[in-house]
Amino acid sequence: MAAVPGGRRSGPAAGARFFCTAGRGLEPFLMREVRSRLAATQVEYISGKVFFTTCSDLNMLKKLKSAERLFLLIKKQLPFNVSSVSKGKIFNEMQRLTNDDPESWLNAISIWKNLLELNAKKVKLSQKNANPLKRKVGENDIIAKKLKTAEMQEIQEKKECQVEKQIEEETLEQGNFTTKRDKSQEELQNDVAEAVDTHNQNDLTFRVSCRCSGAIAKTFTAQEAGRVIGIALMKQFGWKADLRNPNVEIFIHLSDIYCVVGIPVFRVPLASRAYIKTAGLRSTIAWAMASLAEIKAGAVVLDPMCGLGTILLEAAKEWPNCHCLQKVSILLFPIFHLGKSLS
């Protein structure tokens, strides 16, 4: 399930279930990181993936350094039995991923939308706070417009008072009719709200990204599995497939150990660092190596054979109060010239 049981709570405050992909051997680092950085609970792992529950927003989730990609969990279940089952039966079991528990899909989509909306509101608020001078530009024009609108409102209110006096007598005679009309309007508004919600769900475009490994990969291709699950989603929820620019991407990993379904939270992987311009050592491995040094404020981090300096970049970004040094070539320079003069 995408959220902690106990009712359909769509907000991240209710605690959402996520999972991250990690390089081989980095699962312990990622488990410690989600506990310390996100205050995550129900942390567990399988080979290459770490599952956890947290109430953190997107800004906090972006700070994970030992994870490759982050997904909002929809389902996790036992693998399909492909040893003695026909291909058609396996496809039927795949379709049951969507048909048996549609509530988990809708709940995950709702949580995913709430995360994006909450992040968009925070971005707008930060932009307003970052530009206080822009709000003062044209302040006099705004005040003048407010005065004009106030004058227009006063004139409008006088006209409305005259009209209200004429209507009061008519409304008293038609009291029963107005009460019935109000009730019908409330029912109509509720129906419209429900229709808008279902309309938004039906207008959702999606793409299925499937990965198969182990014995399942020998039985059918990832494209075949993705096509079967995509058709099931269109029939179940009325979503539309869009391979180029979908609203949401559905990630499915089918292996001999588990079947995992999730929604990528970010389009760009967490392992892609904006501050690393040239790729060298994998950023997740570099961060893990730097974390093993137990760097503290004021410490000196030396990497004499740094190459592209990925470890130092990760250390400087994570611990900004430390001092990072690339090379120690000052001592080697006189020794080289001394040997050259003796020869």
Side-chain angles (χ1 to χ4, degrees):
M1 293 293 291
V4 178
R8 186 173 178 178
R9 295 174 292 180
S10 59
R17 191 75 175 155
F18 296 90
F19 72 92
C20 289
T21 55
R24 183 173 297 177
L26 291 179
E27 296 92 348
F29 292 91
L30 183 54
M31 291 176 70
R32 286 195 296 267
E33 188 182 7
V34 296
R35 286 193 180 104
S36 61
R37 202 186 294 271
L38 305 179
T41 58
Q42 301 177 5
V43 182
E44 57 183 0
Y45 82 98
I46 52 181
S47 178
K49 291 179 178 62
V50 174
F51 300 84
F52 59 93
T53 302
T54 182
C55 301
S56 302
D57 58 6
L58 293 185
N59 289 329
M60 290 300 300
L61 292 169
K62 281 182 181 178
K63 295 180 180 180
L64 292 175
K65 298 295 184 180
S66 55
E68 292 288 337
R69 294 196 71 184
L70 175 68
F71 300 86
L72 181 64
L73 180 64
I74 298 177
K75 274 192 172 186
K76 183 181 72 169
Q77 65 179 40
L78 295 174
F80 298 126
N81 185 14
V82 297
S83 58
S84 59
V85 182
S86 65
K87 200 170 183 180
K89 290 183 178 180
I90 297 173
F91 285 158
N92 290 332
E93 290 185 10
M94 289 182 184
Q95 291 177 350
R96 292 176 60 186
L97 285 173
T98 61
N99 299 334
D100 285 356
D101 190 14
E103 187 72 15
S104 62
W105 289 82
L106 297 177
N107 193 24
I109 292 293
S110 180
I111 294 173
W112 171 72
K113 287 182 177 179
N114 287 344
L115 284 170
L116 296 181
E117 290 174 0
L118 182 63
N119 184 64
K121 290 179 181 178
K122 290 185 176 180
V123 170
K124 289 181 180 179
L125 184 62
S126 63
Q127 289 176 350
K128 288 181 180 180
N129 294 334
N131 300 317
L133 294 177
K134 289 184 178 180
R135 283 183 279 175
K136 294 182 179 180
V137 176
E139 189 173 351
N140 295 330
D141 296 336
I142 294 172
I143 294 172
K145 288 180 181 180
K146 287 182 178 180
L147 292 174
K148 288 182 180 179
T149 53
E151 292 176 356
M152 295 295 293
Q153 285 178 358
E154 289 179 0
I155 296 170
Q156 187 67 24
E157 286 175 0
K158 290 179 180 179
K159 292 181 179 179
E160 289 177 355
C161 289
Q162 294 176 357
V163 175
E164 285 177 0
K165 289 179 180 179
Q166 296 176 359
I167 297 174
E168 279 180 0
E169 297 177 357
E170 297 178 0
T171 54
L172 290 174
E173 295 176 356
Q174 299 177 355
N176 295 330
F177 175 75
T178 53
T179 53
K180 291 180 180 179
R181 185 180 62 185
D182 292 337
K183 290 181 180 179
S184 62
Q185 285 180 351
E186 290 179 0
E187 293 176 357
L188 180 62
Q189 288 177 356
N190 294 331
D191 294 339
V192 169
E194 293 177 359
V196 169
D197 190 16
T198 55
H199 180 70
N200 291 336
Q201 291 285 355
N202 292 335
D203 287 345
L204 188 70
T205 59
F206 74 99
R207 175 180 63 198
V208 177
S209 299
C210 189
R211 178 187 171 193
C212 300
S213 59
I216 295 180
K218 299 177 182 178
T219 308
F220 48 82
T221 63
Q223 288 78 9
E224 290 176 332
R227 190 181 302 112
V228 170
I229 296 172
I231 293 172
L233 289 173
M234 287 189 288
K235 290 181 178 180
Q236 181 70 29
F237 304 110
W239 299 345
K240 299 178 182 178
D242 188 351
L243 301 181
R244 293 187 177 182
N245 189 24
N247 299 128
V248 62
E249 180 181 358
I250 306 297
F251 171 80
I252 300 171
H253 186 191
L254 306 177
S255 70
D256 297 337
I257 306 173
Y258 52 77
C259 296
V260 178
V261 183
I263 301 174
V265 180
F266 304 110
R267 291 183 180 270
V268 180
L270 294 174
S272 299
R273 313 281 203 252
Y275 49 85
I276 297 179
K277 303 301 181 183
T278 306
L281 182 65
R282 190 68 179 167
S283 60
T284 53
I285 298 174
W287 183 89
M289 293 175 68
S291 66
L292 289 174
E294 298 181 355
I295 302 170
K296 298 180 181 180
V300 178
V301 182
L302 172 63
D303 188 0
M305 306 297 178
C306 65
L308 295 174
T310 310
I311 297 176
L312 294 176
L313 286 171
E314 292 291 340
K317 187 68 177 179
E318 186 70 16
W319 298 277
N321 295 325
C322 68
H323 306 281
C324 298
L325 301 177
Q326 283 187 333
K327 299 178 182 178
V328 183
S329 57
I330 299 175
L331 297 176
L332 299 177
F333 183 80
I335 294 174
F336 171 79
H337 281 276
L338 179 62
K340 188 175 181 181
S341 61
L342 290 175
S343 61

